[in-house]
Amino acid sequence: MKAVVLGSGTWGTALAMTLCDNGHDTWLWGRTPAKMEEMAAKRQHPQLQGVTLPAELHITADLSCLEGAEMVVCAAPSFAVRETARKAAPYLTRDTVLVSVSKGIERDTNLRMSQILQEETHYICKVVALSGPSHAEEVSAHLPTGCVAASLDRKAARFVQDAFMNEYFRIYTSYDIVGVELAGAMKNVIALSCGACAGLGLQDNTKALLMTRAMEELTRLGEHLGGTRRTFGGLAGMGDLIVTCTSMHSRNNRAGMYIGQGMTVQEAMDKVGAVVEGYYAAESVYQLAQHEGVEMPICRCAYEVLYQGKPARDVVGELMGRAKKDELLETTWL
Ligand SMILES: NC(=O)c1ccc[n+]([C@@H]2O[C@H](COP(=O)([O-])OP(=O)(O)OC[C@H]3O[C@@H](n4cnc5c(N)ncnc54)[C@H](O)[C@@H]3O)[C@@H](O)[C@H]2O)c1
């Protein structure tokens, strides 16, 4: 099978390596010719230390590699998905399966990544979202990892499962593309918040409280928008939340930690030096929650810290001092 991965960041590269390992004719496309030439010559990715790119992997900055591709994986950062899909669209056919692996919600439109891919490719392709607890660094080192391939089209989801699954990458299918994409995008906001807790010197109890109650509010919005509650307890939900909130690989977590330690948002983003998806997602989640009338106190506080300059320390007291609640019921005891 011919597969093309669009986006040569760490995740696009790790996925291209996996497809290559599985025997597919795999092409990795990046927009900067000099960077792609260097990767092709050195057989290394600058951010994936100690990893050698397979000799069979084609590395290019020429979009004509898309011709004849049966599967196209879009691994651009969420803010560049529309632009990337627009460039790719002329090469795609009704037989192409498009795989979205970017985690985000589009600013202003509040669209999920698969919806952008569909719009830009005029609804001709089948679209699958692949998401879950998966650091590129670990997948490229062949450490056991699990993800979900979600689509309304069961055949397309199975096609993606077959293409990626091997002894170190286990793929489940799901029909709940709405829940899978929303969970993956929204958990980055919580990873930032968890990092801020660490930066403030707060410890395990606080992080567990934050993660659990945050998952409840993500689920509330996700269900409201058409996702399935069980997805939020699965790999793309709780699984990804755990990995992002507890790992040193997570840029969202690190950015939050710097903010908790007192850096400005801009200083924190600069120090991380790579895409911090949770920063963009915080605004979209806030807008969505406001628009839909869904109560999301943790995400609202994250938005106020990131976009309105509220000190991270102030929101701890605010969240702890909210009205008494029942854990299971929306209302208080009568
Ligand atoms: N890194 C991971 O482990 C991981 C795992 C799962 C999902 N993801 C998701 O995959 C997506 C990509 O993440 P990443 O970690 O590979 O990013 P990255 O920061 O490693 O790389 C981003 C890449 O995008 C390119 N880029 C920047 N602006 C662009 C534009 N306008 N058009 C096209 N390309 C552009 C950059 O040159 C760079 O190669 C994100 O949405 C992320 O949430 C990442």
Side-chain angles (χ1 to χ4, degrees):
M1 189 252 297
K2 179 174 179 183
V4 176
V5 178
L6 299 172
S8 59
T10 52
W11 192 223
T13 302
L15 290 174
M17 290 172 67
T18 307
L19 290 168
C20 224
D21 280 353
N22 290 356
H24 303 298
D25 173 23
T26 311
W27 295 69
L28 177 63
W29 173 89
R31 66 191 169 133
T32 317
K35 183 184 160 191
M36 301 317 283
E37 277 163 26
E38 194 182 338
M39 273 174 71
K42 292 190 177 160
R43 308 310 295 177
Q44 275 176 350
H45 186 285
Q47 271 86 47
L48 292 173
Q49 302 296 326
V51 170
T52 304
L53 304 179
E56 306 76 35
L57 177 64
H58 306 285
I59 299 175
T60 181
D62 182 354
L63 273 175
S64 68
C65 68
L66 283 163
E67 270 160 22
E70 286 156 80
M71 188 172 86
V72 174
V73 180
C74 181
S78 62
F79 60 80
V81 164
R82 187 174 287 283
E83 177 192 329
T84 306
R86 194 169 293 171
K87 283 187 204 157
Y91 298 93
L92 308 183
T93 71
R94 287 185 188 283
D95 298 325
T96 321
V97 173
L98 261 177
V99 186
S100 172
V101 301
S102 313
K103 291 175 181 169
I105 299 167
E106 192 176 45
R107 208 173 168 167
D108 300 328
T109 67
N110 289 333
L111 289 176
R112 291 176 281 109
M113 297 297 114
S114 70
Q115 293 176 301
I116 300 174
L117 292 183
Q118 282 181 309
E119 259 190 26
E120 290 298 330
T121 58
H122 314 293
Y123 298 87
I124 64 163
C125 303
K126 293 178 175 117
V127 178
V128 179
L130 181 69
S131 191
S134 49
H135 289 310
E137 293 81 353
E138 296 186 14
V139 172
S140 63
H142 296 185
L143 295 175
T145 301
C147 277
V148 188
S151 178
L152 285 173
D153 187 305
R154 183 178 243 199
K155 216 171 132 195
R158 286 196 174 153
F159 178 72
V160 172
Q161 181 180 45
D162 288 342
F164 280 101
M165 192 147 156
N166 62 25
E167 70 282 6
Y168 61 83
F169 204 26
R170 183 164 175 77
I171 311 293
Y172 293 81
T173 56
S174 167
Y175 61 83
D176 184 20
I177 187 165
V178 177
V180 163
E181 285 192 290
L182 287 175
M186 296 196 292
K187 60 85 202 181
N188 283 330
V189 184
I190 310 311
L192 259 166
S193 311
C194 225
C197 277
L200 287 167
L202 303 173
Q203 300 199 10
D204 298 349
N205 293 356
T206 316
K207 286 189 218 159
L209 169 64
L210 177 79
M211 286 165 67
T212 313
R213 290 308 303 168
M215 188 41 81
E216 177 57 32
E217 63 180 61
L218 302 194
T219 308
R220 208 180 297 146
L221 181 62
E223 264 193 311
H224 183 87
L225 294 171
T228 303
R229 175 162 277 266
R230 283 179 65 202
T231 297
F232 288 81
L235 284 170
M238 190 48 96
D240 209 357
L241 187 73
I242 292 170
V243 89
T244 323
C245 290
T246 58
S247 167
M248 55 174 182
H249 294 307
S250 166
R251 300 139 188 199
N252 293 286
N253 199 357
R254 267 188 287 139
M257 192 178 70
Y258 298 140
I259 293 166
Q261 286 170 345
M263 281 189 196
T264 64
V265 173
Q266 194 53 55
E267 285 166 350
M269 306 268 276
D270 291 345
K271 183 149 186 196
V272 170
V275 183
V276 179
E277 291 283 22
Y279 172 72
Y280 304 102
E283 191 178 25
S284 303
V285 173
Y286 175 76
Q287 283 173 357
L288 265 172
Q290 293 282 102
H291 187 258
E292 301 296 324
V294 175
E295 192 185 16
M296 300 185 77
I298 297 171
C299 290
R300 177 181 49 75
C301 284
Y303 173 81
E304 288 170 356
V305 171
L306 293 170
Y307 289 88
Q308 297 180 335
K310 198 170 198 177
R313 185 161 293 285
D314 289 3
V315 306
V316 179
E318 189 184 317
L319 287 169
M320 291 303 286
R322 295 180 73 241
K324 293 175 191 168
K325 304 267 178 186
D326 186 280
E327 191 183 28
L328 304 181
L329 304 170
E330 292 297 317
T331 53
T332 43
W333 292 98
L334 294 174

